[in-house]
Amino acid sequence: MSGVCLPCNPEEIGSLFLFEKLTPEQLGRLCAEGRVERFEPGPVYTEGEPATCFYVMLEGTVVLYRRVGGDDVEVSRTSQRGVYAGSMQAYLGDRVRQVYNNSMRVTEPTRFFVLPADTFARIMQEWFPMAVHLLEGLFFGSKNTQRAIGQRERLLALGSLSAGLTHELNNPAAAAVRATATLRERVGKMRHKLAVIAQGSYSPEVMANLIDIQERTAERVAKAPVLSPLEASDREDALADWLDDHGIPDGWRIAPTFVQAGLDVDWLDQVAAAVDEEIVPSAIGWLSYTVETELLMDEISDSTTRISHLVDAAKQYSQLDRAPFQNADVHELLDSTLLMLSGKIGRRIEVVKDYDRTLPRIPAYPAELNQVWTNLIDNAVSAMNSAGGEGTLTVRTAREHDRLLVEFRDTGVGIPAQDRGRIFDPFFTTKPVGEGTGLGLDISWRIVVNKHHGSIQVESEPGDTRFQVLLPLTAAEEESE
């Protein structure tokens, strides 16, 4: 938007704090190469447009906005003379994409001193070469530092996830190894017991009965009901008494296995009725090995399934085999991240999932959203550890108009009021020295706002902190960070 051009007075320009140390010759050059413009209420420039001018306010009121999701959020409003905005980094030239980083509006007739960006860059380099070198060093040094520490932040998260995943994989893997070794032993004993039975003078009919009982026993193991501790204890006592009454030694050792397999006294009565009395102990012993092998195979199956799920979760989390930008199910991403972080979350923190399963898939960068979830969950766990190590993490999803809400709520110590306005700033952290880089939330903010055109905000008080991520339900144009 263009304003009305007015005469430029070097004395008025020199009264601004930005130019008060300049010589009359320098002020004259500014007026010669710049201009004074008056703007009526309305927009002056828009965020994302090529930054062609540097604006210094002479009088009036300006409001600066940033685009967050689909909304313009006011970030500054002032009537102070001399405030400036626009192409403030023109001196960096083509090394940085020169666009307006915000939108500017005026709410009353406002006069600006306007300097074209290329003129501003040339004057800065001629008049203040040392300052330009220092500013360049500060800008690019900060960028490099931010990039390096961002990589360290990712490596720390990867290390934490790797440790947690290794721990989670170790448990089912060790269980499968133990169960396999025990299964080998039990199968060997079952073969021996079968040989003993086969050496007896049993009719083909009796052997057929034993084989039939074995098959039906295996089927019962697969359908074993889940009993309460009291029910299991009562059934174990009844089975132990039955085994003792039938002269079967160590009945108290066998009874818990039979109960776990879903067997009861009625079933043992059917077994006893199907064979001759003298081979009941051998038949029961053979069935006990059958039950144990079935239970061990179930344990191996459960363990390997758990390992498979963990590997699937790791693939889902990393998104290594998927397109960077795709339609993603937010709940799948959240579940994989929670599973990957389960070791760090621990058993003392309860995780509550309050999902709206009717929500549609959304266009997103899944791997980067997983990084956002990781940072927010990590902060929540840290806050609850500071509050005693116990608490509740609630992950909620919902629809809010045309956006999808993902909320992380924790019962930790909360964020002090004086820190809430700074938590998304680079390098700002409330964690103890050595425990945080101060980039986790900054990275999260850039992923949500810059890459997904969403928004991220926080509400906090002791015992109730909520980070809310709002993502568009419709596709947004892909952008780089």
Side-chain angles (χ1 to χ4, degrees), residues 240 242-252 254 268 280-285:
W242 190 97
L243 295 169
D244 289 342
D245 292 342
H246 288 76
I248 298 171
D250 295 331
W252 61 276
I254 301 175
L268 294 184
V280 168
S282 295
I284 294 297

Side-chain angles (χ1 to χ4, degrees), residues 337-369:
T337 305
L338 287 168
L339 183 55
M340 293 291 288
L341 291 172
S342 58
K344 185 164 191 175
I345 294 172
R347 300 183 181 279
R348 299 177 65 191
I349 294 176
E350 179 186 4
V351 177
V352 176
K353 298 178 183 179
D354 182 10
Y355 292 169
D356 179 358
R357 294 288 186 177
T358 65
L359 292 171
R361 301 172 76 89
I362 64 170
Y365 296 87
E368 300 200 26
L369 284 183

Side-chain angles (χ1 to χ4, degrees), residues 212-422:
D212 179 63
I213 290 171
Q214 183 186 38
E215 291 296 327
R216 288 188 288 133
T217 299
E219 291 176 3
R220 286 183 70 99
V221 174
K223 301 175 182 178
V226 178
L227 303 176
S228 68
L230 184 59
E231 291 172 331
S233 177
D234 290 342
R235 186 171 291 188
E236 286 175 16
D237 290 342
L239 285 175
D241 291 341
W242 190 97
L243 295 169
D244 289 342
D245 292 342
H246 288 76
I248 298 171
D250 295 331
W252 61 276
R253 292 183 183 274
I254 301 175
T257 302
F258 280 3
V259 170
Q260 185 181 353
L263 306 186
D264 53 21
V265 170
D266 291 341
W267 181 255
L268 294 184
D269 285 337
Q270 294 179 42
V271 173
V275 298
D276 295 336
E277 184 176 351
E278 66 272 13
I279 68 168
V280 168
S282 295
I284 294 297
W286 188 37
L287 290 180
S288 73
Y289 293 139
T290 299
V291 168
E292 287 183 348
T293 57
E294 289 294 322
L295 292 175
L296 288 168
M297 285 190 288
D298 285 346
E299 185 176 347
I300 293 171
S301 177
D302 290 342
S303 298
T304 52
T305 299
R306 170 72 173 163
I307 292 171
S308 178
H309 286 166
L310 286 167
V311 172
D312 286 344
K315 289 175 63 179
Q316 171 72 26
Y317 180 83
S318 65
Q319 298 284 315
L320 289 178
D321 58 346
R322 306 191 181 191
F325 189 78
Q326 59 180 280
N327 285 325
D329 184 336
V330 168
H331 301 118
E332 289 181 359
L333 303 182
L334 290 168
D335 286 341
S336 68
T337 305
L338 287 168
L339 183 55
M340 293 291 288
L341 291 172
S342 58
K344 185 164 191 175
I345 294 172
R347 300 183 181 279
R348 299 177 65 191
I349 294 176
E350 179 186 4
V351 177
V352 176
K353 298 178 183 179
D354 182 10
Y355 292 169
D356 179 358
R357 294 288 186 177
T358 65
L359 292 171
R361 301 172 76 89
I362 64 170
Y365 296 87
E368 300 200 26
L369 284 183
N370 281 340
Q371 188 177 1
V372 174
W373 313 150
T374 299
N375 291 336
L376 297 181
I377 292 170
D378 181 72
N379 285 347
V381 171
S382 178
M384 287 185 281
N385 286 336
S386 298
E390 296 182 349
T392 301
L393 171 64
T394 303
V395 183
R396 182 171 71 93
T397 62
R399 180 192 290 265
E400 287 206 357
H401 306 297
D402 60 342
R403 296 194 287 179
L404 184 149
L405 167 70
V406 182
E407 180 183 79
F408 297 85
R409 178 183 181 186
D410 70 74
T411 57
V413 294
I415 303 170
Q418 66 270 20
D419 293 338
R420 286 175 211 155
R422 304 176 58 200

Side-chain angles (χ1 to χ4, degrees), residues 159-172:
S160 176
L161 289 171
S162 298
L165 181 60
T166 301
H167 175 76
E168 291 295 321
L169 285 170
N170 182 65
N171 289 337

Side-chain angles (χ1 to χ4, degrees), residues 126-187:
E126 290 178 12
W127 293 355
F128 313 107
M130 182 177 178
V132 167
H133 286 309
L134 290 172
L135 288 171
E136 287 176 341
L138 176 64
F139 179 84
F140 290 111
S142 175
K143 283 283 187 182
N144 292 335
T145 301
Q146 191 171 1
R147 186 179 300 110
I149 297 184
Q151 292 173 347
R152 179 175 180 269
E153 181 88 13
R154 291 178 172 89
L155 287 173
L156 288 173
L158 179 61
S160 176
L161 289 171
S162 298
L165 181 60
T166 301
H167 175 76
E168 291 295 321
L169 285 170
N170 182 65
N171 289 337
V177 170
R178 288 194 305 269
T180 301
T182 306
L183 178 62
R184 187 184 303 276
E185 177 190 348
R186 293 295 184 269
V187 169

